[in-house]
Amino acid sequence: MTSKIKPNYDENRTVLSRVVPLRSPFSIQVASSSVCNFKCKYCIQSSPDMTNKKVMDWDIFVKLCDQVAEFDDRLKQINFAGWGEPTINKNLPKMIERIKKFNVADKVSVITNGSLLTHDFTLSLIDAGVDFIKISLQGITSDKYKEISKIKLDFAELVDKIKFAYSNKGNCNIYVKIADIALNTNEDKLFYSTFANISDRMFIENIRPIFKSINTGLAIDADSSISKYGQSHPPVIVCPQPFFMMNITPEGDVYPCCAYNDPTNLGNISNTTLKEIWCSDALFDFQITMLKKERKTQNRFPVCNDCTIPDVVMLPEDDLDLHTEEILMRYLQGTTVIL
């Protein structure tokens, strides 16, 4: 077996509580598309609440590239991901090629359901310089895809696409993950054996609810003490995402996190810049609210009251809850850490 059984996050992580506030974000998530060809029953795409469906225009992405280059520090990563399927945007290879030429991030990743990875499209992503292709599976049979994602998919053909990507990956890494609820009893061994020699990394993630009020038509165990990576943790009070990342929608709106709805109204890259937003009073105020542990105690940010993403994706290095006083002091003194 050549593949490693590990989740998809970067293991070489900085302890966030020691370095915030940051001069520049660690990570930017680019939603090249909020449209998806799947309707997975535990995802926002299957809900009537999903009304915002758009593909990012090339002009918006050009502005994004120019603005990322303005940051003082190099980013750790740029992820093409979000609440849609990135590969629906046929400009995706060109987008990756452009952002790689700017040389502003240590790595560039695509998170995809894999269904649209024709051999030619896969080669175009690899030729563009993508560092990671991360493929999210919704079953290991065609019948399970029909049940979970409401689509007709030839699973053997999907495996062939992943095998082709791995065989032609060059310096790119191929990661395959699957939702635990997309596996029947005892199918975990079949999942691992299927991708043992055609991926660099593979993992079974725990599905957890992420928005309490969004109806996805699926009842899921709401235990917030277990992350999707299977790690136990106390309930998260301070959301770490606004302290290290930015999320750009297809329209160019800037979110401080990967929430479906914007809690802050920070602006759009057409009328302000990413660096201006990162240094803005609006984001500062939002971060201070987090550090005061008021994420769920005030109605200023109702999206946050409804969101459980911090519990779903929590990693030990991102925990800020035990260090809020010292971090607040640094924020109020205007101290930034140069890495």
Side-chain angles (χ1 to χ4, degrees):
M1 182 175 79
T2 59
S3 185
K4 297 178 181 179
I5 301 176
K6 291 183 177 180
N8 72 339
Y9 59 79
D10 189 346
E11 296 173 294
N12 184 25
R13 301 184 71 81
T14 301
V15 178
L16 194 61
S17 63
R18 298 176 184 171
V19 297
V20 293
L22 301 172
R23 294 198 309 174
S24 309
F26 282 161
S27 172
I28 287 181
Q29 179 167 287
V30 181
S32 59
S33 168
S34 56
V35 182
C36 190
N37 57 330
F38 285 15
K39 296 291 182 288
C40 299
K41 62 184 181 180
Y42 56 82
C43 176
I44 185 65
Q45 289 287 343
S46 68
S47 170
D49 297 287
M50 181 62 183
T51 58
N52 183 18
K53 298 186 178 183
K54 185 174 174 59
V55 173
M56 180 178 281
D57 292 334
W58 178 248
D59 289 346
I60 292 289
F61 186 73
V62 169
K63 290 179 182 177
L64 188 152
C65 292
D66 292 340
Q67 293 181 17
V68 170
E70 295 176 356
F71 281 118
D72 296 315
D73 301 313
R74 182 179 176 85
L75 276 63
K76 292 181 178 294
Q77 60 182 345
I78 294 175
N79 295 319
F80 288 88
W83 297 108
E85 169 52 42
T87 60
I88 283 179
N89 192 323
K90 297 310 176 186
N91 281 327
L92 183 60
K94 189 166 68 166
M95 289 175 165
I96 292 170
E97 182 179 24
R98 183 176 180 85
I99 199 68
K100 289 288 289 188
K101 286 181 178 178
F102 274 75
N103 196 27
V104 291
D106 293 341
K107 56 190 175 185
V108 176
S109 303
V110 173
I111 302 176
T112 171
N113 61 37
S115 65
L116 302 178
L117 291 178
T118 64
H119 291 183
D120 286 345
F121 197 82
T122 297
L123 290 177
S124 66
L125 292 174
I126 294 170
D127 290 344
V130 68
D131 297 294
F132 288 84
I133 298 176
K134 303 177 181 182
I135 303 163
S136 300
L137 302 185
Q138 307 305 329
I140 53 174
T141 65
S142 298
D143 288 341
K144 182 59 74 170
Y145 266 86
K146 187 174 182 180
E147 174 192 339
I148 295 287
S149 304
K150 306 296 186 294
I151 65 158
K152 184 178 180 180
L153 179 139
D154 186 329
F155 184 71
E157 183 178 303
L158 178 59
V159 173
D160 177 71
K161 290 176 178 178
I162 296 171
K163 183 178 181 180
F164 178 85
Y166 185 75
S167 298
N168 294 276
K169 69 189 185 76
N171 294 323
C172 175
N173 284 266
I174 308 299
Y175 171 77
V176 182
K177 67 183 179 74
I178 192 169
D180 56 353
I181 64 170
L183 290 171
N184 295 327
T185 303
N186 298 323
E187 282 189 336
D188 53 338
K189 293 181 180 178
L190 179 57
F191 164 72
Y192 287 129
S193 64
T194 299
F195 299 100
N197 295 302
I198 59 171
S199 68
D200 294 289
R201 190 179 289 195
M202 53 186 178
F203 196 71
I204 300 173
E205 290 187 349
N206 297 278
I207 293 299
R208 293 289 182 264
I210 52 178
F211 297 116
K212 295 177 181 177
S213 68
I214 293 178
N215 176 24
T216 58
L218 182 67
I220 307 174
D221 178 11
D223 184 0
S224 63
S225 66
I226 306 292
S227 73
K228 70 176 182 178
Y229 309 116
Q231 300 173 354
S232 300
H233 60 80
V236 176
I237 301 173
V238 180
C239 177
Q241 288 194 349
F243 296 87
F244 70 84
M245 75 165 290
M246 304 176 90
N247 180 22
I248 319 301
T249 72
E251 299 91 341
D253 292 326
V254 182
Y255 291 12
C257 58
C258 59
Y260 169 64
N261 291 311
D262 182 8
T264 52
N265 192 26
L266 294 174
N268 186 287
I269 63 173
S270 295
N271 50 45
T272 187
T273 69
L274 292 174
K275 185 175 180 179
E276 287 171 344
I277 289 175
W278 186 253
C279 301
S280 67
D281 290 341
L283 182 58
F284 177 85
D285 181 56
F286 186 66
Q287 292 168 331
I288 293 297
T289 299
M290 296 292 114
L291 292 171
K292 289 182 177 179
K293 300 183 178 181
E294 296 175 345
R295 176 167 68 98
K296 291 182 178 289
T297 59
Q298 292 188 351
N299 291 323
R300 290 182 60 197
F301 308 110
V303 175
C304 298
N305 291 333
D306 196 39
C307 177
T308 62
I309 290 177
D311 290 294
V312 174
V313 301
M314 174 52 65
L315 292 166
E317 295 86 352
D318 297 344
D319 186 4
L320 300 180
D321 286 356
L322 299 179
H323 307 278
T324 53
E325 290 187 9
E326 60 189 84
I327 298 171
L328 263 173
M329 184 66 67
R330 293 203 295 266
Y331 264 82
L332 296 176
Q333 290 176 346
T335 304
T336 56
V337 177
I338 300 176
L339 300 179

